[in-house]
Amino acid sequence: MVCQSLAVVAARRASMLGGMKLVAIETAHPPGSLATLDTHAGAAPAVTPLMLPEGERTARSLAPALHKLLQQSGWRLEQLDAVAVTVGPGSFTGLRLGVTSAKALAYAAAAVCVPVNTLAVLAAQAGGAAGWAVLDAHRGELFAAPFAGPGLTGEVEILAEAAWLGRLAEGDTVTGPVLGRLRDRLPPGVTSADPADWLPKAETVAKLATAAVEAGDTVSPFELLPDYYRPSAAEEKLLGGDAAS
């Protein structure tokens, strides 16, 4: 069964050269969002976004929202070519839900999966600036990565908030939902991106996934995994760490 499915996925990869139907899932940061993208017919790619409900648990809202999105798009499951999803960094629970849903959807449709870095999504939304994309890692720490133009220019790091603030230089642009509480602490000459773009968006995930598909950067549902960038607090305790719960 697995070998047969992998063969179907390989055939689907080849068929996407002429256009594709893609679903994007973003659950690394609440409330989360979904999007479809269609690159068929030689027209400009058509993107349809859908926000998940505010204040509702992702575990409850994600599956019904995916069903609604496919219905609105008029797509049958077998028409789906690719499923893109943010794989980290971000909320452990959100990443697990997003990746698990992407794997199940892609497996059922014999589609490929496209893993997308959450900070790369934030960088792509920063309007071509240069600076840092950040997400809350809790415990007074941040997931952080530098970017320039549309992409990341360095590895994701876990930095203490004070250490990250000390790395900022005049002219930097910073982005990420954690700026809601850190913006007033930014050094002089450092600006924040438009607050409307601080949250990662599934429509941006879809656009980044398009380039990844063209470059052949896809995986099968069996290969798709979240990247948490650190053990959970429970795992650290089990390993003898002193992380707070």
Side-chain angles (χ1 to χ4, degrees):
M1 178 67 73
V2 170
C3 291
Q4 289 177 341
S5 182
L6 287 173
V8 173
V9 167
R12 182 61 62 88
R13 281 193 179 106
S15 72
M16 289 191 295
L17 296 177
M20 66 175 173
K21 294 183 185 297
L22 176 145
V23 166
I25 301 172
E26 198 313 282
T27 54
H29 194 282
S33 57
L34 305 172
T36 58
L37 182 146
D38 192 344
T39 63
H40 285 98
V47 181
T48 303
L50 176 67
M51 290 293 296
L52 295 181
E54 288 271 6
E56 189 170 328
R57 292 174 63 88
T58 307
R60 176 188 292 270
S61 64
L62 182 54
L66 279 168
H67 180 70
K68 177 182 178 181
L69 184 67
L70 289 171
Q71 280 191 321
Q72 288 178 343
S73 301
W75 294 0
R76 300 187 308 277
L77 187 61
E78 62 269 21
Q79 292 178 296
L80 188 60
D81 296 299
V83 182
V85 62
T86 42
V87 294
S91 156
F92 279 36
T93 300
L95 294 175
R96 280 195 295 269
L97 288 169
V99 168
T100 300
S101 297
K103 288 168 73 77
L105 184 61
Y107 181 80
V112 301
C113 293
V114 190
V116 178
N117 184 285
T118 317
L119 295 180
V121 175
L122 294 176
Q125 295 172 184
W132 289 81
V134 287
L135 285 166
D136 194 352
H138 303 293
R139 313 173 198 168
E141 295 178 325
L142 302 170
F143 297 113
F147 67 87
L152 301 183
T153 57
E155 298 296 322
V156 175
E157 299 180 68
I158 301 174
L159 300 172
E161 291 178 0
W164 174 72
L165 290 166
R167 287 203 192 181
L168 298 179
E170 185 174 354
D172 280 347
T173 295
V174 294
T175 186
V178 74
L179 293 177
R181 63 177 177 78
L182 290 182
R183 182 164 53 174
D184 292 341
R185 295 171 58 188
L186 297 178
V190 175
T191 59
S192 63
D194 186 335
D197 293 320
W198 285 355
L199 282 175
K201 301 174 184 178
E203 56 200 278
T204 309
V205 176
K207 292 172 183 176
L208 292 179
T210 302
V213 168
E214 291 174 354
D217 295 333
T218 64
V219 298
S220 75
F222 309 102
E223 299 168 306
L224 183 68
L225 294 170
D227 193 345
Y228 300 123
Y229 286 93
R230 74 183 322 164
S232 68
E235 289 170 327
E236 288 181 343
K237 284 184 176 181
L238 187 63
L239 295 171
D242 57 357
S245 61

